[in-house]
Amino acid sequence: MGFLPVPSDDELSADARAAANRFGDDHPGPLNALDRALLNNVTVFESYVRWFDVKDELEALVGERAVTLFSLALSRAVPAPYPTAFFEGVLRDGGDDPVDPQVTEAESLLLAWGRAVGADPSRVAPELIARVEATFTTSTRAVLAGYAGLMFAVCIFSLVAQIDPETR
């Protein structure tokens, strides 16, 4: 077990079970290990699951695969094993090669920017920033930056909680 337990349904408090059910109404499917670890505190869970809302908005702007690739690049750069394994699995499940995916120009840019942001968000090369600015509108960049911040927070939580990447 890591720093935080990954509770089963039976181990959840009534409040946590209710929060999980509310979340499931909008996001059907089983909770993953990270979601379950977040349920050790309902306020923390409810704060972090807003990530899904921003992810959905970003997917509408740049595409689901681009968001997955961006998430993978950022989580690898942090490095955060649980989110990395999760997004590698999403790519594999979709028939992609997570090690060497064939990417569009925009996806390549998001991979580069995700790696840079994950490695050190205060030291992203000005040339890379200029490319992102030239490719995406201000509104899309705002969602990208917000999502990057939330993704970074998810990576840090998974590291602090010591979530095993094998529990995807």
Coordinates of all heavy atoms in Angstrom, one line a residue, residues 70-105:
F70 N -0.6 14.9 -25.1 CA -0.1 16.0 -24.2 C 0.0 15.6 -22.8 O 1.0 15.8 -22.1 CB -1.1 17.2 -24.4 CG -0.7 18.4 -23.5 CD1 0.5 19.0 -23.6 CD2 -1.7 19.0 -22.7 CE1 0.8 20.1 -22.9 CE2 -1.4 20.1 -21.9 CZ -0.2 20.7 -22.0
S71 N -1.0 14.9 -22.3 CA -1.0 14.3 -20.9 C 0.1 13.4 -20.7 O 0.8 13.4 -19.6 CB -2.3 13.6 -20.6 OG -3.4 14.5 -20.8
L72 N 0.4 12.5 -21.7 CA 1.4 11.5 -21.6 C 2.8 12.2 -21.5 O 3.6 11.9 -20.7 CB 1.4 10.5 -22.7 CG 2.5 9.5 -22.8 CD1 2.5 8.6 -21.5 CD2 2.3 8.6 -24.0
A73 N 3.0 13.2 -22.4 CA 4.3 13.9 -22.4 C 4.6 14.6 -21.1 O 5.7 14.5 -20.6 CB 4.3 14.9 -23.6
L74 N 3.5 15.3 -20.6 CA 3.7 16.0 -19.3 C 4.0 15.0 -18.2 O 4.9 15.2 -17.4 CB 2.5 16.8 -19.0 CG 2.6 17.9 -18.0 CD1 1.7 19.1 -18.3 CD2 2.3 17.4 -16.6
S75 N 3.2 13.9 -18.1 CA 3.4 13.0 -17.0 C 4.7 12.3 -17.0 O 5.3 12.0 -16.0 CB 2.2 12.0 -16.9 OG 2.1 11.2 -18.0
R76 N 5.2 12.0 -18.3 CA 6.5 11.4 -18.4 C 7.6 12.3 -17.9 O 8.6 11.9 -17.3 CB 6.8 11.0 -19.9 CG 6.2 9.7 -20.3 CD 6.5 9.4 -21.7 NE 6.0 8.1 -22.1 CZ 5.8 7.7 -23.4 NH1 6.1 8.6 -24.4 NH2 5.4 6.6 -23.7
A77 N 7.5 13.6 -18.3 CA 8.5 14.6 -17.9 C 8.5 14.9 -16.4 O 9.6 15.2 -15.9 CB 8.2 15.9 -18.7
V78 N 7.4 14.7 -15.7 CA 7.4 15.1 -14.3 C 8.5 14.3 -13.5 O 9.2 15.0 -12.7 CB 6.0 14.9 -13.7 CG1 6.0 15.0 -12.2 CG2 5.1 16.0 -14.2
P79 N 8.8 13.1 -13.5 CA 8.0 11.9 -14.1 C 7.0 11.4 -13.0 O 7.4 11.4 -11.8 CB 9.1 10.9 -14.4 CG 10.2 11.2 -13.3 CD 10.1 12.7 -13.0
A80 N 5.9 11.0 -13.5 CA 4.9 10.4 -12.6 C 4.4 9.1 -13.2 O 3.7 9.0 -14.2 CB 3.7 11.4 -12.5
P81 N 4.8 8.0 -12.6 CA 4.6 6.7 -13.1 C 3.1 6.3 -13.3 O 2.7 5.7 -14.3 CB 5.2 5.7 -12.1 CG 6.3 6.5 -11.5 CD 5.7 7.9 -11.4
Y82 N 2.2 6.7 -12.3 CA 0.8 6.3 -12.5 C 0.2 6.9 -13.7 O -0.4 6.3 -14.5 CB 0.0 6.5 -11.2 CG -1.4 6.1 -11.3 CD1 -1.8 4.8 -11.2 CD2 -2.4 7.0 -11.7 CE1 -3.1 4.4 -11.4 CE2 -3.7 6.6 -12.0 CZ -4.1 5.3 -11.8 OH -5.3 4.9 -12.0
P83 N 0.2 8.3 -13.8 CA -0.4 8.9 -14.9 C 0.2 8.5 -16.3 O -0.5 8.3 -17.3 CB -0.3 10.4 -14.7 CG -0.1 10.6 -13.3 CD 0.6 9.3 -12.8
T84 N 1.5 8.3 -16.2 CA 2.2 7.8 -17.4 C 1.7 6.5 -17.9 O 1.3 6.3 -19.1 CB 3.7 7.7 -17.2 OG1 4.3 9.0 -16.9 CG2 4.5 7.1 -18.4
A85 N 1.6 5.5 -17.0 CA 1.0 4.2 -17.3 C -0.4 4.3 -17.8 O -0.8 3.6 -18.7 CB 1.1 3.3 -16.1
F86 N -1.2 5.2 -17.1 CA -2.6 5.4 -17.5 C -2.7 5.8 -19.0 O -3.4 5.2 -19.8 CB -3.3 6.4 -16.6 CG -4.7 6.6 -16.9 CD1 -5.7 5.7 -16.4 CD2 -5.1 7.6 -17.7 CE1 -7.0 5.9 -16.8 CE2 -6.4 7.8 -18.1 CZ -7.4 7.0 -17.6
F87 N -2.0 6.9 -19.3 CA -2.1 7.4 -20.7 C -1.4 6.5 -21.7 O -1.9 6.5 -22.9 CB -1.6 8.9 -20.7 CG -2.5 9.8 -20.0 CD1 -2.1 10.4 -18.8 CD2 -3.8 10.1 -20.5 CE1 -3.0 11.2 -18.1 CE2 -4.6 10.9 -19.8 CZ -4.2 11.5 -18.6
E88 N -0.4 5.8 -21.3 CA 0.2 4.8 -22.3 C -0.9 3.8 -22.6 O -1.0 3.3 -23.7 CB 1.4 4.2 -21.7 CG 2.6 5.0 -21.7 CD 3.9 4.4 -21.0 OE1 3.7 3.4 -20.3 OE2 5.0 5.0 -21.2
G89 N -1.6 3.4 -21.5 CA -2.7 2.4 -21.7 C -3.8 2.9 -22.6 O -4.3 2.1 -23.4
V90 N -4.2 4.2 -22.4 CA -5.2 4.7 -23.3 C -4.8 4.7 -24.7 O -5.5 4.3 -25.6 CB -5.5 6.2 -22.8 CG1 -6.4 6.9 -23.9 CG2 -6.2 6.2 -21.5
L91 N -3.5 5.0 -25.0 CA -3.0 5.0 -26.4 C -3.0 3.5 -26.9 O -3.4 3.3 -28.0 CB -1.6 5.6 -26.5 CG -1.6 7.1 -26.4 CD1 -0.1 7.6 -26.4 CD2 -2.3 7.7 -27.6
R92 N -2.5 2.6 -26.1 CA -2.4 1.2 -26.5 C -3.8 0.7 -26.8 O -4.1 0.0 -27.8 CB -1.8 0.4 -25.4 CG -0.5 -0.2 -25.8 CD 0.1 -1.2 -24.8 NE 0.0 -0.9 -23.4 CZ 0.8 0.0 -22.7 NH1 1.8 0.6 -23.3 NH2 0.6 0.3 -21.5
D93 N -4.8 1.0 -25.9 CA -6.2 0.6 -26.0 C -6.8 1.1 -27.3 O -7.7 0.5 -27.9 CB -7.0 1.0 -24.8 CG -6.6 0.2 -23.6 OD1 -5.8 -0.7 -23.6 OD2 -7.1 0.7 -22.5
G94 N -6.3 2.2 -27.8 CA -6.8 2.8 -29.0 C -6.0 2.4 -30.3 O -6.2 2.9 -31.3
G95 N -5.1 1.4 -30.0 CA -4.3 0.9 -31.2 C -3.1 1.7 -31.5 O -2.4 1.4 -32.5
D96 N -2.7 2.6 -30.7 CA -1.5 3.4 -30.9 C -0.3 2.8 -30.2 O -0.4 2.1 -29.3 CB -1.7 4.9 -30.3 CG -2.3 5.8 -31.3 OD1 -2.0 5.7 -32.5 OD2 -3.1 6.7 -30.9
D97 N 0.9 3.2 -30.7 CA 2.2 2.9 -30.0 C 2.5 4.0 -29.1 O 2.9 5.1 -29.6 CB 3.2 2.7 -31.1 CG 4.6 2.4 -30.5 OD1 4.8 2.3 -29.3 OD2 5.5 2.2 -31.3
P98 N 2.5 3.8 -27.8 CA 2.8 4.9 -26.9 C 4.2 5.3 -26.9 O 4.6 6.4 -26.4 CB 2.4 4.4 -25.5 CG 2.3 2.9 -25.6 CD 2.1 2.6 -27.1
V99 N 5.1 4.5 -27.4 CA 6.5 4.8 -27.4 C 6.9 5.7 -28.7 O 7.6 6.6 -28.6 CB 7.4 3.5 -27.4 CG1 8.9 3.9 -27.5 CG2 7.1 2.8 -26.1
D100 N 6.3 5.3 -29.8 CA 6.5 6.0 -31.0 C 5.3 6.3 -31.8 O 5.1 5.7 -32.9 CB 7.5 5.2 -31.8 CG 8.0 5.9 -33.1 OD1 8.0 7.2 -33.1 OD2 8.4 5.3 -34.1
P101 N 4.4 7.1 -31.3 CA 3.1 7.3 -32.0 C 3.3 8.2 -33.3 O 4.2 9.0 -33.3 CB 2.3 8.1 -31.0 CG 3.3 8.8 -30.1 CD 4.5 7.9 -30.1
Q102 N 2.5 7.9 -34.3 CA 2.6 8.7 -35.5 C 1.7 9.9 -35.1 O 0.5 9.8 -34.7 CB 2.0 8.0 -36.7 CG 2.8 6.7 -37.0 CD 4.3 7.0 -37.3 OE1 4.5 7.8 -38.2 NE2 5.2 6.4 -36.5
V103 N 2.2 11.2 -35.3 CA 1.5 12.4 -34.8 C 1.4 13.4 -35.9 O 2.2 13.4 -36.9 CB 2.2 13.0 -33.6 CG1 2.2 12.0 -32.4 CG2 3.7 13.4 -33.9
T104 N 0.4 14.2 -35.8 CA 0.2 15.4 -36.6 C 1.2 16.5 -36.2 O 1.8 16.4 -35.1 CB -1.2 15.9 -36.6 OG1 -1.4 16.4 -35.2 CG2 -2.2 14.8 -36.9
E105 N 1.3 17.6 -36.9 CA 2.1 18.7 -36.5 C 1.6 19.3 -35.2 O 2.5 19.6 -34.3 CB 2.1 19.7 -37.6 CG 3.1 20.8 -37.4 CD 3.1 21.8 -38.6 OE1 3.0 21.4 -39.7 OE2 3.4 23.0 -38.3

